[in-house]
Amino acid sequence: MKNAPIPEIWFITGSQHLYGEGPLKQVAANSQKIVDELNATKRLPLKLVFKPILTRPEEIRALCLEANGAQNCAGLVLWMHTFSPSKMWIGGLSLLKKPMLHLHTQFNRDLPWSEIDMDFMNLNQAAHGDREHGFIHARLRTQRKVVVGHWSDEQAQDRIGAWMRVTRAWHDWQGGKFVRFGDNMRYVAVTEGDKVSAEAKLGFSVNYHGVGDLVQAMNDISDSAVTKLCAEYEQLYTVADGLKKNGERHESLRYVARQELGLRAFLENGNFLGFTDTFEDLHGLKQLPGIATQRLMADGYGFGGEGDWKTCALVRAMKVIAADLPGGTSFMEDYTYDLNPKGHLVLGSHMLEICPSIASGKPKVEIHPLGIGGKEDPVRLVFDAPAGPAINAAIMDLGNRFRLLVNEVDVIAPPQPLPKLPVARAVWKCRPDFKTACAAWIYAGGAHHTGFSYSVTTEHMEDFAEIAGIELAIIDADTRLRGFKQDLRNNEIYYHLAPGLGRL
């Protein structure tokens, strides 16, 4: 991923002066060792940075303010090695704006039963020091993730790593910019939304640029650069004969290469994280961008079709979460169903824009009519997605809040060949089953555009919703429709009242 952020995470240890200078030096040494050992495991995607232990309210407040202002700090891991009275933390935590993980661990893994004395007990008090801290988090309504287990435990390390990937994506959103070429598709409701609320709540901005701005960027691309990219296409993909050099439709391939280079230059010059377009606003373009969009997504850019800026931002976040994980992530749409009584399936696809990061083999470069938009036949990558577990996620603006919706799915190989389907595609089974999942999705107001990923997990989405302070609804193997509907009703009340609770 060419433009993934690489921030750092601060490791914060709490204690107090009750125990004397000797134990405090030991606390600091132990914390430093934990940081060094965790970094050495290579299981964490971001660097942990040791910070001096905190023992006074003034130090805590200063540290939280420093974290807020540190551009490269994506979040804090907090641990109470001893007992750190949590009233000392009120001033700092009330000001803290960065995501937080509470690690409930202790320095030693095994108890030295025959050697335990009161000095040992005073030094290793995380069992109740972290509980004191948990209270003040709950009392202040602090959003955080809690990870329990010895710091050498790989499961605990992986949960910290999952949270780090999410903080990386949240960090990326803060001040991030997305561009819309044209508006959203006319009369469509779910792709609408309050961009002011999104910037205030989620941290990124979305602004319009005319398609003519993109056309100008394309016109600035040299013919030699276009020729070079066409050669790259022929090297990386199976290009249809007519599109190859000297083929009867090679000019169409050259046009999409110019589109890609123009789009890439526009995004890089504007420092944008993603973009949307729509087939209803292509003035000055010969084709709706196909392969250009697909390849830019593969490089980590977000995308949303028909002006869907919320899904564009979600795809970008999922790309950043998954940047160092195997698998792939794409813009997606539940397009049509196979309702055979022996097994219901979803055929996911879109007009053109499925990311080749989820291709099961070498994609083909083909050209076919689009059928809508009134422009020339667009060039696109065509492929099948591999079998395996994945998630489908959508984000919607419900007026008073944003809802993040996740369905866990199992992708299968297409039951039969699809020789006439001229787009990339994925076929999946929904968890817990098709009827329950689809009904739950519709009850939740789920969008038809989604972020689809083999890499991002439900835990990642749960952490992301926690950091963002938005609603999360999950459809998985344990979902029962009656309970899911009641959860949605309960959430209506909670998200009406929660803003008034604040930090009490």
Side-chain angles (χ1 to χ4, degrees):
M1 184 171 176
K2 293 183 179 179
N3 53 350
I6 311 176
E8 61 189 25
I9 301 294
W10 291 3
F11 191 89
I12 311 301
T13 308
S15 188
Q16 60 176 320
H17 281 274
L18 181 65
Y19 313 110
E21 290 303 314
L24 287 178
K25 290 180 180 179
Q26 189 62 53
V27 167
N30 290 350
S31 295
Q32 180 70 71
K33 181 176 175 60
I34 290 175
V35 169
D36 293 343
E37 293 288 338
L38 286 175
N39 284 330
T41 66
K42 306 299 183 184
R43 301 182 75 89
L44 304 185
L46 300 180
K47 181 181 179 181
L48 268 181
V49 176
F50 171 79
K51 290 292 179 176
I53 62 171
L54 301 177
T55 59
R56 302 181 189 278
E58 298 81 7
E59 298 169 349
I60 296 166
R61 180 184 177 91
L63 185 283
C64 290
L65 289 174
E66 181 186 359
N68 288 344
Q71 187 173 1
N72 204 40
C73 174
L76 278 59
V77 173
L78 272 67
W79 171 49
M80 302 303 110
H81 187 307
T82 57
F83 191 86
S84 181
S86 64
K87 282 182 67 177
M88 296 194 306
W89 291 78
I90 293 173
L93 292 177
S94 297
L95 296 171
L96 184 63
K97 302 296 184 184
K98 295 294 177 79
M100 188 184 76
L101 180 146
H102 186 184
L103 177 59
H104 184 42
T105 190
Q106 62 186 27
F107 180 70
N108 56 294
R109 190 192 69 178
D110 304 317
L111 282 177
W113 296 97
S114 63
E115 300 176 8
I116 294 176
D117 56 18
M118 283 311 299
D119 288 339
F120 180 92
M121 297 288 275
N122 287 334
L123 183 64
N124 298 281
Q125 296 189 60
H128 66 290
D130 278 330
R131 293 169 194 256
E132 164 76 355
H133 223 248
F135 168 76
I136 206 61
H137 297 163
R139 180 68 172 80
L140 296 177
R141 311 311 195 256
T142 303
Q143 292 164 333
R144 79 281 195 197
K145 179 174 186 173
V146 177
V147 173
V148 178
H150 192 255
W151 51 270
S152 66
D153 180 353
E154 291 185 352
Q155 183 185 56
Q157 293 172 3
D158 288 344
R159 295 201 66 215
I160 297 169
W163 175 83
M164 282 186 171
R165 292 181 175 91
V166 172
T167 63
R168 180 172 62 193
W170 179 253
H171 180 79
D172 182 65
W173 264 14
Q174 305 313 296
K177 298 190 299 180
F178 296 90
V179 58
R180 301 170 75 210
F181 295 110
D183 206 340
N184 68 308
M185 183 178 172
R186 289 187 283 274
Y187 300 113
V188 176
V190 76
T191 53
E192 292 279 9
D194 187 338
K195 295 187 287 294
V196 173
S197 292
E199 187 166 356
K201 183 70 175 177
L202 305 176
F204 61 80
S205 64
V206 183
N207 287 293
Y208 165 87
H209 275 265
V211 179
D213 295 340
L214 172 57
V215 173
Q216 182 60 55
M218 292 168 56
N219 291 339
D220 292 339
I221 301 301
S222 68
D223 289 343
S224 61
V226 170
T227 300
K228 181 179 180 181
L229 184 54
C230 287
E232 182 179 323
Y233 291 160
E234 293 201 33
Q235 181 182 12
L236 294 177
Y237 313 117
T238 302
V239 179
D241 289 341
L243 292 171
K244 291 180 179 178
K245 188 176 180 179
N246 299 322
E248 68 273 14
R249 307 197 74 175
H250 183 64
E251 283 304 314
S252 292
L253 188 70
R254 289 186 63 83
Y255 184 79
V256 297
R258 187 175 296 277
Q259 264 189 338
E260 178 182 338
L261 292 167
L263 260 170
R264 190 178 297 277
F266 189 96
L267 296 172
E268 290 177 355
N269 291 337
N271 198 28
F272 293 109
L273 303 180
F275 67 101
T276 72
D277 58 26
T278 172
F279 64 90
E280 289 182 328
D281 190 352
L282 297 174
H283 184 69
L285 293 179
K286 295 180 181 180
Q287 302 177 23
L288 177 67
I291 192 173
T293 299
Q294 293 175 289
R295 282 170 49 86
L296 285 165
M297 257 195 293
D299 282 344
Y301 287 102
F303 174 76
E306 294 106 51
D308 189 350
W309 54 270
K310 297 187 298 299
T311 303
C312 171
L314 177 62
V315 170
R316 167 64 183 187
M318 294 172 73
K319 288 279 188 182
V320 176
I321 290 170
D324 59 333
L325 295 173
T329 299
S330 179
F331 173 73
M332 186 60 74
E333 180 173 276
D334 296 53
Y335 219 102
T336 191
Y337 300 139
D338 180 23
L339 297 180
N340 189 313
K342 295 182 180 180
H344 298 155
L345 300 173
V346 177
L347 174 57
S349 186
H350 203 253
M351 293 184 294
L352 300 171
E353 309 96 346
I354 303 301
C355 178
S357 68
I358 67 167
S360 61
K362 190 175 185 178
K364 300 175 182 178
V365 179
E366 300 179 0
I367 183 169
H368 302 278
L370 183 60
I372 55 177
K375 294 291 183 177
E376 293 181 3
D377 300 343
V379 179
R380 77 292 302 272
L381 296 172
V382 179
F383 53 84
D384 291 323
I391 67 165
N392 224 9
I395 187 167
M396 296 78 64
D397 183 348
L398 298 183
N400 66 333
R401 68 190 186 279
F402 291 93
R403 172 179 285 164
L404 182 60
L405 179 62
V406 177
N407 185 200
E408 296 180 354
V409 303
D410 293 289
V411 185
I412 65 169
Q416 299 181 37
L418 296 159
K420 294 185 177 181
L421 184 60
V423 288
R425 57 268 179 163
V427 179
W428 65 79
K429 299 177 181 179
C430 301
R431 299 182 192 175
D433 58 77
F434 175 86
K435 292 181 178 179
T436 300
C438 289
W441 192 275
I442 291 171
Y443 274 120
H448 56 279
H449 291 159
T450 60
F452 173 90
S453 182
Y454 294 91
S455 315
V456 180
T457 66
T458 300
E459 181 179 8
H460 290 130
M461 292 288 93
E462 186 175 9
D463 288 350
F464 198 85
E466 186 75 41
I467 290 172
I470 62 175
E471 180 186 3
L472 175 68
I474 298 172
I475 306 168
D476 60 12
D478 298 324
T479 296
R480 300 295 178 266
L481 202 54
R482 184 180 293 114
F484 185 84
K485 290 166 63 178
Q486 187 58 50
D487 286 344
L488 295 180
R489 296 187 190 102
N490 295 343
N491 286 352
E492 290 286 355
I493 303 301
Y494 173 80
Y495 285 96
H496 178 71
L497 297 175
L501 293 175
R503 287 184 166 183
L504 304 179

